[in-house]
Amino acid sequence: MYDNVLLPTDGSVGVDRAIDHAIDAADRYDATLHVLYVVDSDVVNAYSGDEFVDGAEGAEETLEETGREALDAVAEHARDAGVDAVTALRYGVPHEEILRYADEEDVDLTVMGSKTRSGDYRRMLGSVTERVSRQSPAPVSIVKTTVEA
């Protein structure tokens, strides 16, 4: 039923349960697990560049490092479960890059974590998961995790 399963990750606690679901789906359908981290261009562009901070400690480098660590952790977890995993790190607006990657890689199922938070918080910030689920032509499985405010 599924040949390519996509798990976008931001390395946060809200993704933990989604990782297990994505690995289980890839294993069950003998699919390749694609693990994607998007370095958010809005965050990088918002960083003013403090002249007292070494360039290696800037927002982009920090996000890249966080992304690589998140990708490596999920890939290792998938390998331990006997699932083939490929990783990708992209730059841009997260929901747009997730949708673009899914299209390019013929993703059959996207598994995303969603942090359950108060309505005010969600209305203020929106949700990458929400945008992907609304715009994706392929199925999106949303795995909810409650996060304390």
Side-chain angles (χ1 to χ4, degrees):
M1 178 174 237
Y2 303 122
D3 294 320
N4 293 295
V5 175
L6 173 60
L7 173 73
T9 182
D10 62 3
S12 71
V13 174
V15 177
D16 289 350
R17 291 186 60 226
I19 292 169
D20 293 335
H21 282 264
I23 290 172
D24 181 62
D27 184 41
R28 182 175 308 216
Y29 294 105
D30 196 28
T32 299
L33 178 64
H34 295 257
V35 188
L36 175 65
Y37 181 92
V38 178
V39 175
D40 190 336
S41 59
D42 289 341
V43 173
V44 171
N45 293 335
Y47 177 66
S48 63
D50 183 345
E51 65 265 13
F52 300 107
V53 176
D54 179 33
E57 296 174 6
E60 186 172 0
E61 291 82 6
T62 300
L63 290 171
E64 275 185 31
E65 183 178 331
T66 299
R68 292 192 195 292
E69 289 172 1
L71 292 170
D72 290 345
V74 175
E76 182 179 339
H77 191 52
R79 277 192 299 276
D80 290 346
V83 170
D84 291 331
V86 295
T87 61
L89 188 132
R90 297 259 179 118
Y91 300 82
V93 178
H95 75 278
E96 292 173 0
E97 289 304 317
I98 292 166
L99 291 164
R100 184 174 294 115
Y101 183 92
D103 182 54
E104 290 169 2
E105 297 297 326
D106 294 322
V107 168
D108 307 298
L109 171 67
T110 300
V111 178
M112 298 188 71
S114 177
K115 300 170 199 84
T116 303
R117 299 187 187 205
S118 70
D120 288 341
Y121 182 92
R122 181 161 304 282
R123 277 191 297 278
M124 262 185 354
L125 296 179
S127 167
V128 171
T129 300
E130 218 173 310
R131 289 179 185 129
V132 170
S133 68
R134 278 196 320 255
Q135 296 177 33
S136 176
V140 176
S141 178
I142 300 171
V143 181
K144 294 185 178 189
T145 300
T146 300
V147 176
E148 296 299 320

